Amino acid sequence: MLRAEEPVVTVTSAAVGIERTGIEQVLLDGGLRSVFQPIVDLDSGAVVAYEALVRGPQGPLHRPDDLFAAARAAGCLAELDQACRAAAFAGAVEHAVVAPLTLFVNVEPEVLDSAPLSRLLALAEGAPGGLRVVVEITERALAARPAELLRTVARIREIGWGVALDDVGADAMSLAFMPLLRPDVVKLDLRLVQGRPGAAVAQIMNAVNAYAQSSGAVVLAEGIEDEGHLRTARALGAQLGQGWFFGRPAAPPPPAAVTGELVLAAAAPVVDHGLTSPFAALPPGTVLRRSAKPLLIEVSKQLEREARRLGDTCVVASTFQEARHFTPATRSRYRDLADGVGFVAAVGEGLPESPLPGVRGATLAAGDPVRGEWDVVVLSPHFAAALLARDLGDEGPDREREFEYALTYDRDVVVAAMHSLLSRVAPRVAPREAAPVAAAAAVASSGPAPGAVVRRGAGPGADLDLHRLLPRALAATTSGVAIADMTRPDAPLVYVNAAFERLSGRSASEVLGRNCRLLQGPDTDPAVVNEIRSAIAAGREWRGVLVNHRGPRRVPWWNEIHLAPVFDETGRLVQYVGVQHDVTDRVRAQQEAERERARSRSYLHRIEELAHTDALTGLANRRGVERFVEAELLRARETGEAVALLFCDLDGFKAVNDRFGHAAGDELLGVVAQRLRRSVRESDLVARLGGDEFVVALTGLDPASAQRDAARVARALADAVIAPVPLSAGVGSVGASVGVGVQPAHGATFAELVRHADRDMYRIKRGA
């Protein structure tokens, strides 16, 4: 099958010449042909389209994965991709797959951006009755080459063809990019139809159906092989179906009892957002606000928090003007984003292609309009938001620089802004050096390339070649070793050792040629599986523990896994090696110990909570506020923010106590505590030191205005306290004197700030 992700295999240097000759001969002879698989309208049963699937001549290049492996090795991938589509069009004309029928063809995104389409367009237009074409894009190209992919889709739209997003659901990344690519057809991965329903299926179903309803896109289910699969496809919301239940690929295509027409929703106009900037995507008449940096920082953090909540179905792209604005604090936040979000990009002048692991970057030329913007764009199937700001060119202190900005939740604007930023993201370049264990395992599984240098020892046993020793070592080790071929569809296992067979409870014949997910089951944590998928998509190592299931009885066991990528000489990912250990006993012991610690922690937490809480008001006590303030002071020194401490002493409290009694005094203190709490932000802390003395800690202040802000809050606290308090015994009335201490002007520790605020309070009380 011709697919965008069709594989690369490891080809030895000696073999390249042979395969190059073979693939070149196939291209010269026109030895490619297409077979056609029907696509059926599930309501009417009519065949409305056919997918063209490539086949080579009988022999070693018959299968599409072998064809594409040879073409990559020979450096003629673009020529093969072009020839495959030409063969699809020629076959469609020969077998009358013409309008009103639609022809689905696959595309190689990494070459289509530069491949000439004029000849193919002429073929399509010159066919009797004309060809109606839908081009399939695979999700594996999304994270690797976003800029090229967006240009590819734009060019497809320009020539009037439709776009299908293939294998949706195989990875959450497809859900994240779906609103951005706006495909006309969404093709559900066959595992959704053939597998068991679960939380992941529900997530995909919700996202796909929401997109289809809002855009008019058609949902197509692949892999329908029986009546049960057909019922599942309908339940998932599919209008079209494809699979052996309706007919296997053939040339000529299997006869159809009834044919019909596939009607696609009108595509949105093609707009090249790469030539503009996110801020320029705002529609005319948008009301712009003005703000200095502190507010925009907090708005940006809130959008980042939303993105983390959305998880791996979310795409985030941000601008930083210059690399110096990508500060250590920002790096920390974006490291967290990369761990939990589907795709993260950061662009700015001087930013590298990978500012952090898992974060895609791009530098901006000085004349790029994005260079003058502050943008944070968040997009997912059910959420869209963007902070779009433009620098006003202030030359004062950096924190006081002003921007004009808009905060928008208009999905069309957010999509345009995201399109603009991702069009600037360079393709990812995979590392060229494989991890040592992965390289060794790869050699063990395939042997050295002909002509490769094999190191030999100098002592006894020096005659043993490395490629003869490693298979024996892997067979003897107690660690399970498995190798997956990343160049073939669904990454099948191509090697397992004896220890892996023992651990999995399955023989090599049962697992070879199948994806390792066959070991997973209902107890396997989907979050861990998503972590693994994200690491593989990024070509990274992964270490962790997850539940697998052993043998035909599916007995759960805890598998500690180290996954390591193997890259070929061009830097392309070709294999993943997994080393595995059964750590069930260790995990169960840890779980029991953790349960015991949790019981102890719960008890100790309650004791700790009581030790830091004022029993009368429920506020923090002196120990609680001191610990809180010291932590905030440390954070403020790292972020450049300020902290203020307000010391509040009640005026006239003794008179209330003397008149109504101590019970009424306690009641009044509870009311005052609540008034103080309601007068400050949730991020601030109110504490009772004892008697009628309270302390309020204000955090995250701008140093330039901290004293003014603290004085304003002090006045608000005094106003809140002074109102009469209805009590059980009557009506009490007190006032408040509030002193202020601000870091760093009045001290750098809790004790110093309390002393200054206390002195300031007495100054106010005496003045009163």
Side-chain angles (χ1 to χ4, degrees), residues 90-367:
V93 171
E94 178 185 355
H95 300 302
V97 182
V98 295
L101 292 170
T102 299
L103 178 68
F104 280 62
V105 295
N106 297 274
V107 69
E108 191 68 36
E110 63 188 273
V111 300
L112 182 58
D113 187 51
S114 59
L117 296 177
S118 55
R119 187 166 67 87
L120 296 181
L121 181 58
L123 280 172
E125 292 177 339
L131 286 179
R132 301 178 59 181
V133 180
V134 171
V135 177
E136 296 188 26
I137 302 291
T138 182
E139 65 176 14
R140 288 194 185 181
L142 299 176
R145 312 180 71 86
E148 289 89 336
L149 184 62
L150 293 175
R151 286 197 295 270
T152 293
V153 169
R155 297 184 72 208
I156 291 171
R157 300 273 192 215
E158 286 172 1
I159 61 178
W161 295 350
V163 174
L165 183 57
D166 197 12
D167 296 335
V168 170
D171 192 296
M173 185 68 66
S174 58
L175 301 182
F177 274 80
M178 191 163 54
L180 189 63
L181 296 176
R182 294 192 64 82
D184 306 288
V185 180
V186 178
K187 297 190 72 173
L188 300 179
D189 184 70
L190 60 85
R191 282 168 287 191
L192 300 178
V193 170
Q194 298 180 358
R196 296 172 57 186
V201 172
Q203 179 189 48
I204 296 162
M205 179 182 173
N206 278 320
V208 169
N209 280 268
Y211 169 73
Q213 289 178 20
S214 65
S215 67
V218 178
V219 179
L220 188 161
E222 296 184 287
I224 299 176
E225 298 180 0
D226 55 39
E227 288 282 359
H229 295 163
L230 178 58
R231 287 193 296 271
T232 300
R234 289 180 177 275
L236 291 172
Q239 298 115 301
L240 303 180
Q242 181 179 3
W244 291 355
F245 185 72
F246 304 112
R248 300 197 178 206
V258 181
T259 60
E261 181 179 1
L262 173 59
V263 178
L264 301 178
V270 177
V271 179
D272 189 354
H273 298 291
L275 299 178
T276 62
S277 71
F279 190 85
L282 290 168
T286 300
V287 177
L288 300 177
R289 311 174 198 174
R290 291 172 68 115
S291 174
K293 286 186 65 175
L295 175 61
L296 299 188
I297 290 173
E298 294 306 319
V299 174
S300 299
K301 290 179 180 178
Q302 176 59 32
L303 290 176
E304 293 162 13
R305 285 190 289 270
E306 285 288 346
R308 288 198 298 273
R309 179 183 63 81
L310 294 165
D312 55 7
T313 64
C314 181
V315 180
V316 178
S318 303
T319 62
F320 290 91
Q321 294 190 297
E322 302 173 22
R324 63 188 177 90
H325 296 309
F326 201 66
T327 64
T330 305
R331 293 174 67 86
S332 177
R333 299 200 318 270
Y334 272 69
R335 189 175 290 109
D336 292 341
L337 268 181
D339 288 341
V341 172
F343 182 88
V344 183
V347 301
E349 183 178 354
L351 276 178
E353 292 181 0
S354 181
L356 288 170
V359 176
R360 299 292 300 283
T363 189
L364 298 174

Side-chain angles (χ1 to χ4, degrees), residues 385-407:
L387 169 65
L388 306 177
R390 182 164 57 190
D391 196 333
L392 293 176
D394 294 342
E395 297 181 354
D398 185 65
R399 286 185 63 84
E400 297 178 10
R401 285 195 301 126
E402 285 206 330
F403 294 74
E404 59 178 359
Y405 78 96
L407 183 61

Side-chain angles (χ1 to χ4, degrees), residues 10 47 138 171 255 276 302 333 377 460 496 535 588 620 628 672 698:
T10 304
V47 173
T138 182
D171 192 296
T276 62
Q302 176 59 32
R333 299 200 318 270
V377 188
V496 295
R588 287 176 177 167
F628 175 82
V672 168
L698 307 179

Side-chain angles (χ1 to χ4, degrees), residues 447-764:
V453 177
V454 179
R455 296 185 179 181
R456 303 174 186 272
D463 290 337
L464 283 176
D465 288 346
L466 184 62
H467 76 282
R468 294 173 58 194
L469 174 63
L470 282 175
R472 298 178 187 177
L474 289 172
T477 182
T478 57
S479 300
V481 178
I483 302 176
D485 186 349
M486 305 308 296
T487 71
R488 299 180 63 184
D490 209 27
L493 295 174
V494 294
Y495 172 86
V496 295
N497 68 349
F500 180 90
E501 293 180 280
R502 290 192 297 271
L503 289 173
S504 66
R506 294 176 179 270
S507 66
S509 61
E510 292 179 88
V511 298
L512 292 180
R514 301 178 65 184
N515 187 281
C516 60
R517 80 173 66 85
L518 69 97
L519 302 181
Q520 298 170 13
D523 300 328
T524 305
D525 187 347
V528 178
V529 174
N530 286 335
E531 284 182 20
I532 295 173
R533 288 175 175 171
S534 297
I536 291 174
R540 301 192 309 263
E541 291 191 35
W542 184 86
R543 296 174 184 268
V545 178
L546 84 165
V547 173
N548 279 158
H549 292 76
R550 179 178 288 124
R553 297 181 61 188
R554 310 294 287 161
V555 177
W557 60 287
W558 288 93
N559 188 0
E560 182 179 65
I561 304 175
H562 172 209
L563 296 176
V566 179
F567 300 93
D568 67 10
E569 66 278 0
T570 69
R572 192 177 297 276
L573 178 66
V574 292
Q575 295 166 328
Y576 252 96
V577 179
V579 180
Q580 358 225 340
H581 301 90
D582 186 343
V583 293
T584 303
D585 291 342
R586 187 186 78 192
V587 170
R588 287 176 177 167
Q590 289 172 343
Q591 289 174 336
E592 180 56 37
E594 182 56 36
R595 284 192 289 269
E596 184 60 35
R597 284 195 295 270
R599 289 191 288 268
S600 299
R601 280 198 302 269
S602 177
Y603 176 71
L604 293 174
H605 175 73
R606 182 58 182 155
I607 295 176
E608 177 78 4
E609 189 178 61
L610 292 172
H612 290 82
T613 302
D614 175 57
L616 176 63
T617 63
L619 300 176
N621 60 15
R622 185 183 184 92
R623 291 178 62 187
V625 70
E626 182 173 4
R627 183 174 67 171
F628 175 82
V629 170
E630 290 295 352
E632 287 299 316
L633 289 170
L634 178 61
R635 190 178 72 86
R637 285 193 287 273
E638 294 176 349
T639 62
E641 296 172 334
V643 175
L645 208 65
L646 280 57
F647 195 105
C648 178
D649 184 78
L650 301 186
D651 302 325
F653 177 72
K654 184 176 183 301
V656 175
N657 252 355
D658 292 344
R659 181 181 178 186
F660 297 113
H662 289 290
D666 289 349
E667 190 179 350
L668 183 142
L669 289 174
V671 173
V672 168
Q674 292 306 310
R675 290 180 177 179
L676 295 176
R677 177 66 267 177
R678 289 194 297 268
S679 299
V680 296
R681 304 167 300 176
E682 287 190 13
S683 57
D684 301 327
L685 183 74
V686 180
R688 179 182 175 224
L689 295 188
D692 60 350
E693 295 178 338
F694 295 83
V695 165
V696 177
L698 307 179
T699 65
L701 301 178
D702 185 342
S705 60
Q707 295 193 46
R708 294 194 302 274
D709 293 339
R712 175 180 52 78
V713 175
R715 290 192 297 272
L717 295 177
D719 291 343
V721 169
I722 202 169
V725 180
L727 303 171
S728 301
V731 177
S733 182
V734 294
S737 299
V738 185
V740 175
V742 178
Q743 167 270 345
H746 302 142
T749 67
F750 173 78
E752 291 170 349
L753 293 179
V754 166
R755 282 197 297 271
H756 188 279
D758 188 32
R759 289 196 298 269
D760 190 47
M761 180 272 295
Y762 274 111
R763 177 185 61 78
I764 294 170

